[in-house]
Amino acid sequence: MNNKLYKLMNWPEIEEIIYSDGNDPHRILGAHKVGSSLLIQAFLPGTKQVTLQMGAGGRNRKNVVMEQADEAGFYAALVPYKEGLRYTYLVEKLDGEKEELEDPYRFAPLMTREDFIKLGSSIHYRIYEQFGAHPMTRDGVAGTEFAVWAPDAARVSVVGEFNDWDGRVHQMCRVDSGGVFELFLPGVGDGAHYQYEIKTRAGKILRRMDPYARALDPEDSSICIVRQELAHEWQDENFCRERKKFNRDEDALSICELSIESFAAAHEDGKADYRTLGKEIKHFAQEHGFRAVELHPVMEHIKGHPYHILAPFALQGDYGSAEEFCGLVEELHEAGIRLILDIVPTYFPAVEGGLAQFDGRPVYEYGDTRLGVRPGSSDLVYDYGRGPIVNYLMSYALYWIEKFHADGLRLPDISKILYLDYDRPDGSWIPNMYGGNENLEALDFVKHLNSIVHKRAPGVLTLTKESACWPQVTANLDEGGLGFDLKWNNGWTKDFLNYIRTDPLFRSGLHNELTLSLIYCYTERFALAFTHEDVGQGLRGLYELMPGDSAQKLAGVRLSVAYLMTHPGKKVLYMAPGTLPGDADVSMGNMIRALNELYLAQPALHVLDTSEAGFEWINSMAADECMLTFVRRGRKEKDMLLVVMNMAGVPRDFEIGVPADGRYEEIFNSDNEAYGGSGILNEGKLEADFREVDGRPYCIPVHIAATSMSIFSYTPYTVQEKKIRKIHEEEAIRKEKERDRERRKLQARHDREEEELIEQLRAKYERELAAQEEAIERKYQEQEAERIRQILAEKPAGRGGAKKVARKSDQ
């Protein structure tokens, strides 16, 4: 090495590179102006010679063999300074193979101070566009920009097949004090496998996946795959514009919860692509009358555990590319079907090479296990107190909305993050700053998420489960609520399933569980749900819960779904193709389609869903009969629907009270033969009778099958019909009054006759009693006289004795 070059060598810094102990390789590597010269340094382990190739190529290219400053692979060259010098390295490896390489350290980091400020403030909502691996072309050179946040790392490198997984080769630059590392790697593109190698401050070497990875290796989920940016040309502008008009209080929403795996399983070897699955899911939803589909997580997850997300930004790769998944979304939108995606910003699994202890210390999870570990599992809770973590989760949610046009997001049970003591015994949780059990950081995150989703994507819905009675989950943020659009009504589901799974002979004791939900169902915007958590196999799971033989079980399923569709609240039904016995899938599908069509067409079933004016009990007290009757109302009188439920195991004939005069016509019966029932129907139009039943002025007769539901529409009479009915009603009232007078007369006569009879009986009794007393007295006197005669006969008395007898007789 020439003397001038030797003097320019900063040996401590060179050792920092060689031993991979630094976090600012750009300070040393690459081209740096030194006076009128350029000092170009490179660290290329596993090489025996490196030639610096300067210029655009051809005859104008100038080559300089770089001097090896250290046998570990550190090279340097001093050349005349030239502004914007283009150069490459011609590398000769130890095995003699030659390769031309661009210098990654001639490309400055792209993230700015503004990025870091927004990141720390949790408002960098598209941080996924900076973090992760992004193929791009810089200064005419194709490559990939890598960026990761590792606040406690001593050093971070990108490793992959492109550098033989050697963490010394591509050390990243720490571009801010908060711990962001960045590096552009020329020549690395779509399909490249990579990880981050992290050196902890204790000197330990870790291999970690990219938290913002867009794809994972199917054989090793800790290895990530570079993917081109999604460039889908969307054709769903009209649909996305129309969804903004959705009124969450008044519009119908019936959601079919599905798992992509269940559809893929129907294919040979479980292999299918997203476009094919999209067509099948669309057909299934249309066949059953649904206008919304909720998919279990489509992000990369632990096999068989879809809610254990490994990479929130990586589409599950088993069924194709992101572009093909966009095709699935387009397929649904073209058919007018909403797509709701399940996301999991509440916890993550502790897997080797994942987010846990990301840089040797807790980064994504709370550091204290009393906060950071979910009870009863090894799952970890996100640290909602760190700005970059909140940003990570916010961008996770927005990524699927903005990149894949999701129409809604559903979060798992938020109780587990809102309550610090959820499932934790005393002494194993930490109170908040005020001594309470609320996780104030998680609370702020949930509110922030709902605020930004609704602001940036009007018409997109947010749903959640909350099982510990946190108040105002669906109230607006400015009202002190959490801002969700819908909350699963878990109380209704639990109570109803507990009732319906009980043998009909013993249901009467559980009757209150059918009616309790109406006490609280207007406190939130609820969605009634039979979900994967309640009925793990869809309708099959519901079927297995029911008592009785197969026919009775199917009747129970039909009644359960019908009650879900008529009770106030939006609808969620978990389904899977081909799960019921025999032909029941077809008949049950017919019924579900009919119910969905009815739900959409009948205003009474949704326009006053969040108002008590939309519901009225007719009879909620008939526990022994196992029956319920209620009315659903719309804004107009003619919207009214009458619902009759028979939960008994036998058919029944009822006189049902109705609140209005008119014609009632059965428009749905769960016992219809088309739905797999026995065909006990109420045909024709039923004229209301002028008789009070159930506290209502009118009534109709209803014949109803065992374990079934009937729904009746209401048609008010025309003005002319009302006049005629009025005359009939007045006549009926007159006749009723006459009958009442006759009844009163008969009753009065009956009362008089009864009094006379009683008087006669009393007199007779008194006579008989007097006669009995007289007979008794007479008999007594006769007995006394006989006794005296016997005494006199036995003892002849003298004068004195006779006097004694006479005195005794006088006594």
Side-chain angles (χ1 to χ4, degrees), residues 571-626:
K571 321 300 176 186
V572 180
L573 183 59
Y574 176 47
M575 298 186 68
T579 56
L580 288 173
D583 297 328
D585 268 318
V586 175
S587 56
M588 196 66 68
N590 292 338
M591 187 198 73
I592 292 172
R593 181 175 63 253
L595 281 168
N596 271 317
E597 291 172 351
L598 193 70
Y599 173 57
L600 292 167
Q602 295 291 337
L605 293 177
H606 55 82
V607 295
L608 296 178
D609 226 12
T610 58
S611 169
E612 293 183 18
F615 183 94
E616 178 188 351
W617 283 118
I618 298 297
N619 188 339
S620 63
M621 307 297 290
D624 292 339
E625 289 80 11
C626 295

Side-chain angles (χ1 to χ4, degrees), residues 479-491:
E479 298 171 345
L482 301 187
F484 285 97
D485 293 293
L486 293 171
K487 170 186 171 180
W488 280 1
N489 193 336
N490 303 100

